[in-house]
Amino acid sequence: AAVLILPAALFSQHPTHSIRTVTLQEALDMATRVKPALAAGEANVVAARANRRTVTGEYLPSLGVASSATRGTTVQGSNGVTNGIPVSSTARPLDAVYGSGISAAIPVFTGGRRGAEARSADAEQVAANADLNATQYDVRLSTKQAYFDVLRAGELMEVADAEVKQAELAMRDAGSRLRAGTTTRSDVLRARVALATAHDALATAESQRTASRYALARAIGSDVPVDAEPLSDDDTVPLPPSRDALVMSAVTAAPVARAATAEAQSADAAIAAARAQYLPTILASGGYGWLEDRTVDIRPVGGWTLQVGVSYPLFNGFQREATVSRARSAAQAAHSAALDTERGVRAEAVASYEAARVAAQRIGFARDAVSAATEDLRVQEERYRAGVSTFLDEATSQLNLAQAATSLVQARYDYQIARATLERVLGRELR
């Protein structure tokens, strides 16, 4: 019965030499390289950076260079018919004409549009980085869940295997007592039922382990099933002592909360950019050009130009009003989403913390239960062999031990997954 609390002792009975075994860190690294969501998040970050550069470029002058060259003939007169006789025009060669120039233009005043667009681009960049961070922890959580499911299934299979061995031992004891005439055939039949139940639990656990290995393979981008390297006893790592402080940190620093807040700030800046259409735009431009026409004068001529213009649409079909209305509606929706995200983060952080706290308590309870159930089964086996108890008492003790060992396995990995969920909410590792 002691093997139920020593899973490692039975692990060698189920060799997996043909299956690759990965550590948790290896699984996380491999998942990071293959998840499409991370590639999309990185693309959004690149796009946000490019948009910010574009906004910065509006503060710089636009430069242009133009050049031309012409050579051909010039026609004097025209084709026609005089008195029924075709008359052709005359032509003379046209010498080469060359021209070139450079120009620059810069908006002097845009009504605050550039500044608003810069604030919006900055907020969008913050949101893109926060979304990528959130996606990274989503990937970490899903990978850890798949990894822990493999370990959980393996330990549950070991528990079921130990239960089978215990049921076989009980079967032999019942048979010995039946041959000795100290019990009835009913005990043997009950032992057979217990053995069949144990075999069924073992088959179910083996099936779950196979499925979980393939699920882990998908999570890390493997085409063949993989096994998980057993972890050290990480369920002894305590949670942060203050739940309220942890929740407050999650509300302000969680990636999804930061992304939602940045989206709201970007939407506010978009309103200011839309309102800039009600103000005039002042544009300054200038340049230098030269022209060489060899048919007139072989000496090139050139000069500078400088222009300042003001543009102000008096009426553009209510497009300004529509743009402002859309920007205001988008800002209201973004602020509403930010508030809802904040509440969601708070609720999820509390739920994850409480789930981890309860799972940690269950680990202690389950270990006590396994210890007590192991001792109880030992006593009941001796009593049954001595003929002072019934097989039903022994079968009940066997069932209690199996349930206690199963509860211990479930609690240990429930704690691990709850911690991983809390880390996803916070956007950082718990130490």
Side-chain angles (χ1 to χ4, degrees), residues 122-135:
D122 288 338
E124 288 293 339
Q125 191 168 351
V126 172
N129 288 327
D131 282 334
L132 177 59
N133 190 13
T135 303

Side-chain angles (χ1 to χ4, degrees), residues 34-268:
V34 300
K35 287 298 183 181
L38 283 177
E42 291 170 354
N44 290 335
V45 170
V46 173
R49 291 174 181 170
N51 184 50
R52 185 62 183 87
R53 286 195 299 269
T54 301
V55 173
T56 302
E58 294 195 17
Y59 288 92
L60 304 175
S62 59
L63 301 175
V65 176
S67 181
S68 64
T70 305
R71 186 177 181 86
T73 58
T74 180
V75 177
Q76 297 177 342
S78 61
N79 293 331
V81 177
T82 303
N83 297 325
I85 300 174
V87 178
S88 61
S89 60
T90 61
R92 66 179 179 83
L94 178 65
D95 290 334
V97 178
Y98 301 99
S100 184
I102 183 171
S103 62
I106 184 171
V108 178
F109 177 73
T110 61
R113 176 183 58 81
R114 288 179 298 183
E117 289 180 347
R119 294 193 300 273
S120 178
D122 288 338
E124 288 293 339
Q125 191 168 351
V126 172
N129 288 327
D131 282 334
L132 177 59
N133 190 13
T135 303
Q136 289 171 340
Y137 276 91
D138 285 340
V139 171
R140 290 180 66 89
L141 174 60
S142 61
T143 305
K144 285 184 176 182
Q145 286 177 327
Y147 193 91
F148 295 146
D149 284 344
V150 173
L151 295 179
R152 186 203 308 263
E155 292 191 15
L156 289 177
M157 194 179 75
E158 293 163 2
V159 170
D161 187 68
E163 187 179 357
V164 167
K165 290 179 170 56
Q166 189 62 46
E168 291 174 345
L169 178 61
M171 184 78 176
R172 289 195 296 271
D173 290 343
S176 299
R177 289 197 58 188
L178 179 63
R179 288 189 295 272
T182 58
T183 189
T184 64
R185 182 171 174 76
S186 177
D187 283 0
V188 177
L189 296 175
R190 288 176 178 175
R192 290 178 60 185
V193 172
L195 181 59
T197 302
H199 277 295
D200 180 71
L202 179 59
T204 301
E206 289 176 341
S207 176
Q208 290 175 347
R209 187 177 68 168
T210 300
S212 62
R213 283 174 171 174
Y214 276 92
L216 178 59
R218 179 188 178 186
I220 65 176
S222 173
D223 295 330
V224 295
V226 293
D227 202 2
E229 181 75 20
L231 298 174
S232 59
D233 196 8
D234 287 339
D235 51 39
T236 59
V237 178
L239 289 171
S242 176
R243 187 195 68 184
D244 294 338
L246 195 69
V247 171
M248 184 178 299
S249 173
V251 171
T252 57
V256 291
R258 289 190 287 111
T261 301
E263 290 289 352
Q265 293 171 349
S266 175
D268 289 338

Side-chain angles (χ1 to χ4, degrees), residues 398-422:
Q398 292 175 358
L399 179 61
N400 290 340
L401 180 56
Q403 290 177 343
T406 300
S407 297
L408 176 58
V409 173
Q410 298 287 8
R412 291 181 63 243
Y413 291 105
D414 286 347
Y415 178 77
Q416 296 286 1
I417 292 175
R419 280 181 62 93
T421 304
L422 187 57

Side-chain angles (χ1 to χ4, degrees), residues 388-406:
V388 295
S389 68
T390 65
F391 182 80
L392 181 60
D393 296 329
E394 183 177 350
T396 301
S397 296
Q398 292 175 358
L399 179 61
N400 290 340
L401 180 56
Q403 290 177 343
T406 300

